Amino acid sequence: MKAAVLTVSDGVSAGTREDRSGETLEELLAGEGFEVVRRVVADEREAIADAIVELAGEARLVLTTGGTGLGPRDVTPEATAEVLERGAPGISEAIRADSIAKTPHGLLSRGTAGVRGGTLVVNLPGSPGGCRDGFEVLRPALHHALELLAGETEPAHRQT
């Protein structure tokens, strides 16, 4: 199964900073058996939205990293919301609750989650630790969510 990691950062896209959060997500996804495609885009709303649309056309899961804070260039949630067909607020609420339990800065996260076609799209923070923690919140329900999106009425993990 294919997953995509979309890193949003002006510094990374300009080649001035290493994409450590994208690397972290790629490792975590590979550990779950996903074939991973990675993309880096500038923190510009249209570029983010276009990349999500393109990646959702080829992957069952798109995880974004970066651009979810309160800074003026943090526009990932807005770009994501533009291209989602349905929201999945429980995912972003759970990730935020976990983050708040670890640091008061979790209150500043504005990440969102939802569905585009048969693809789950989830915004994660821009730090490797935030990505790791967010993925651990998502991981227990991830395969079931993807089965539901694929229209599987008898998910494999529930069959006896």
Side-chain angles (χ1 to χ4, degrees):
M1 186 178 322
K2 191 180 273 189
V5 174
L6 176 63
T7 300
V8 177
S9 172
D10 197 39
V12 173
S13 63
T16 59
R17 190 166 58 87
E18 186 180 357
D19 179 15
R20 293 184 19 236
S21 57
E23 291 172 7
T24 298
L25 287 174
E26 181 175 13
E27 290 172 12
L28 292 168
L29 288 164
E32 291 292 315
F34 287 93
E35 174 189 342
V36 182
V37 173
R38 282 178 56 189
R39 178 91 40 87
V40 178
V41 296
D43 48 1
E44 297 170 2
R45 195 169 172 158
E46 187 175 333
I48 297 165
D50 289 347
I52 291 171
V53 168
E54 183 179 331
L55 291 168
E58 61 185 78
R60 301 269 313 277
L61 172 66
V62 175
L63 299 179
T64 71
T65 173
T68 61
L70 294 177
R73 296 189 64 92
D74 291 334
V75 295
T76 301
E78 290 79 12
T80 303
E82 285 177 14
V83 299
L84 292 179
E85 296 164 355
R86 296 183 292 149
I91 293 172
S92 50
E93 290 166 6
I95 291 170
R96 218 173 342 270
D98 180 72
S99 179
I100 291 166
K102 294 174 179 167
T103 173
H105 296 157
L107 291 167
L108 307 179
S109 176
R110 302 179 314 106
T112 192
V115 175
R116 179 175 177 85
T119 300
L120 179 62
V121 180
V122 180
N123 297 154
L124 295 171
S127 69
C131 285
R132 188 175 299 106
D133 291 347
F135 185 78
E136 283 306 310
V137 171
L138 176 62
R139 192 178 57 74
L142 179 57
H143 290 285
H144 182 57
L146 297 177
E147 289 167 346
L148 291 172
L149 286 171
E152 297 175 20
T153 58
E154 291 297 325
H157 71 277
R158 291 194 323 199
Q159 293 177 347
T160 55

